[in-house]
Amino acid sequence: MGKGTMTMKRLALGLLFLLVLLVAAAWVLRPQIGERLFAQAVEHAVSRDVIGDLPDGMHVALCGSGSPLPDPTRAGPCSAVIIDGKMFIVDIGGGAVRNLGLMGLNPGATEALLLTHFHSDHIDGMGELMLQRWAGSGRDVPLPVIAPEGVEAIVDGLNAAYAADVQYRIAHHGEATMSPTGAGGTAKAFPLPEGQDQTVVYDQDGVRITAFSVAHKPIAPAVGYRFDYKGRSVVFSGDTVKLPIVAEACNGCDLLVHEVLNAEMVGTLEKAFDNVGRKRMVKIMADIPDYHTTPVEAAQTASAAKAKMLVLSHIVPALPLGYLDAYFMKGVNSDYDGPVVLGKDGMLFSLPANKDSIEQGDLL
């Protein structure tokens, strides 16, 4: 055996011994390494200020792009509109508030919550949003909840349900930290004037929000919203069948965020439930397509509206595998020439003030 070979073997053995020592040290020093990693992660999370770092304009973040159907990758319906340091939340489904935290969007920055309708999957995160906004911001006024008439009972019920919790937190942290006047929510109900399909529900500091009626029968009232700020515009369809008023409300808008249900895929679910004798679920799967919009219909609406970009959200059914996306979107590009995005939690769309560009990012 040559000297070169002996030297290489000794070097390999030395490196192996060093590797074993490093692994052993890492194992023994796990508490210390974990302490350091945790401190670094906390420093990054606490110092992160997504809202403060955003430039002037309108920014739309998907805090929940799912539906009531279980989906490991999507929270319930929720979109955040961020303008000049203020955050407006459109619907607040289950898991969405925790997504806000993961995305670096402080719930304390919430200016108002807007509800499109009162289906459970659109309101079941309200209690958590009210709590996090109050506890995390030092607010001394409750969360304004802008919604059609009927929202009063929902807000009153949640305020009652959280009343004991509010008192616990005031007693624990003190009134200087947890203002007794800032907890819960305040209903800001609006009617749709007779004979009109649209009404302005917020108009302050250059931000204008218009509500418009949609069709989600038998659920009523049901609305969508249009946001306008410094030459940029975003429209949220709310839950609805394909409807001309959505295109009319958009009318060349920059971003159209439209709910979607793939009826063919839901039909497959219906057959599967039928095969195992789950008749109740067969009935539900048969019913739900009649008050939602298919991806192709949403594309047709975007085309009629001359929307600059279409974002699909409130995804039904769940898409646990990315491989299913193309099947879900089948036929969409034939009906709309603009960019189409299948919404996923954490997506961010930025519309700089007084420009035409739409920049896309990811906060998760």
Side-chain angles (χ1 to χ4, degrees):
M1 184 180 295
K3 290 184 178 180
T5 303
M6 291 286 292
T7 302
M8 289 299 295
K9 282 190 173 181
R10 287 172 183 163
L11 179 60
L13 286 172
L15 289 173
L16 179 60
F17 181 67
L18 180 60
L19 178 62
V20 170
L21 283 178
L22 289 173
V23 171
W27 181 261
V28 171
L29 297 173
R30 281 180 303 157
Q32 293 89 336
I33 294 171
E35 179 182 3
R36 175 137 192 165
L37 289 174
F38 180 72
Q40 290 175 343
V42 167
E43 183 178 356
H44 172 73
V46 170
S47 62
R48 188 182 185 194
D49 183 15
V50 172
I51 293 175
D53 291 340
L54 292 172
D56 189 23
M58 185 150 48
H59 309 271
V60 177
L62 300 186
C63 34
S65 56
S67 73
L69 300 179
D71 188 333
T73 64
R74 289 179 167 89
C78 174
S79 299
V81 182
I82 304 152
I83 303 171
D84 194 23
K86 299 175 182 176
M87 185 162 65
F88 301 85
I89 304 292
V90 180
D91 290 330
I92 189 71
V97 176
R98 299 187 185 194
N99 263 355
L100 288 173
L102 292 171
M103 294 162 67
L105 301 176
N106 180 7
T110 306
E111 179 76 2
L113 169 65
L114 296 97
L115 300 176
T116 61
H117 62 293
F118 308 138
H119 247 153
S120 59
D121 61 308
H122 290 252
I123 66 173
D124 55 1
M126 278 179 65
E128 190 175 5
L129 179 62
M130 290 175 178
L131 172 62
Q132 294 293 342
R133 177 184 183 269
W134 173 53
S137 70
R139 299 266 188 170
D140 58 5
V141 292
L143 172 69
V145 182
I146 301 172
E149 292 176 326
V151 69
E152 301 92 337
I154 295 169
V155 173
D156 288 347
L158 282 168
N159 285 341
Y162 278 74
D165 180 81
V166 166
Q167 294 308 312
Y168 300 152
R169 295 180 189 280
I170 294 173
H172 188 193
H173 301 294
E175 293 189 3
T177 301
M178 308 294 285
S179 170
T181 62
T186 300
K188 302 289 185 181
F190 62 83
L192 285 168
E194 187 174 349
Q196 297 182 29
D197 292 323
Q198 301 187 36
T199 188
V200 175
V201 297
Y202 184 97
D203 195 356
Q204 297 179 35
D205 302 320
V207 180
R208 185 180 179 91
I209 307 175
T210 305
F212 54 92
S213 294
V214 296
H216 193 42
K217 294 178 181 179
I219 291 80
V223 301
Y225 293 102
R226 175 179 169 123
F227 285 71
D228 286 279
Y229 177 74
K230 291 190 176 180
R232 307 313 301 265
S233 54
V234 176
V235 168
F236 299 93
S237 70
D239 282 10
T240 183
V241 297
K242 181 186 176 186
L243 209 61
I245 194 172
V246 178
E248 293 167 9
C250 173
N251 189 27
C253 65
D254 294 296
L255 203 64
L256 173 60
V257 182
H258 207 299
E259 67 107 282
V260 281
L261 174 148
N262 187 303
E264 183 177 327
M265 297 175 80
V266 171
T268 301
L269 281 170
E270 181 185 343
K271 290 176 184 176
F273 283 125
D274 193 33
N275 289 340
V276 296
R278 296 181 63 180
K279 300 301 182 184
R280 180 176 286 104
M281 292 306 299
V282 171
K283 176 69 165 95
I284 292 172
M285 292 300 111
D287 287 343
I288 59 175
D290 66 15
Y291 63 177
H292 287 292
T293 302
T294 69
V296 169
E297 289 173 334
Q300 292 167 350
T301 296
S303 181
K306 295 181 172 54
K308 295 182 177 64
M309 178 181 283
L310 171 63
V311 177
L312 305 179
S313 193
H314 196 295
I315 307 301
V316 182
L319 302 175
L321 300 174
Y323 197 79
L324 298 173
D325 293 359
Y327 175 35
F328 186 88
M329 302 271 282
K330 185 176 66 175
V332 165
N333 291 329
S334 299
D335 288 278
Y336 175 61
D337 294 334
V340 183
V341 178
L342 180 62
K344 292 180 172 62
D345 291 11
M347 284 184 169
L348 176 69
F349 302 89
S350 291
L351 287 63
N354 302 314
K355 294 183 179 179
D356 295 324
S357 61
I358 300 176
E359 301 162 8
Q360 188 175 339
D362 196 339
L363 297 176
L364 284 179

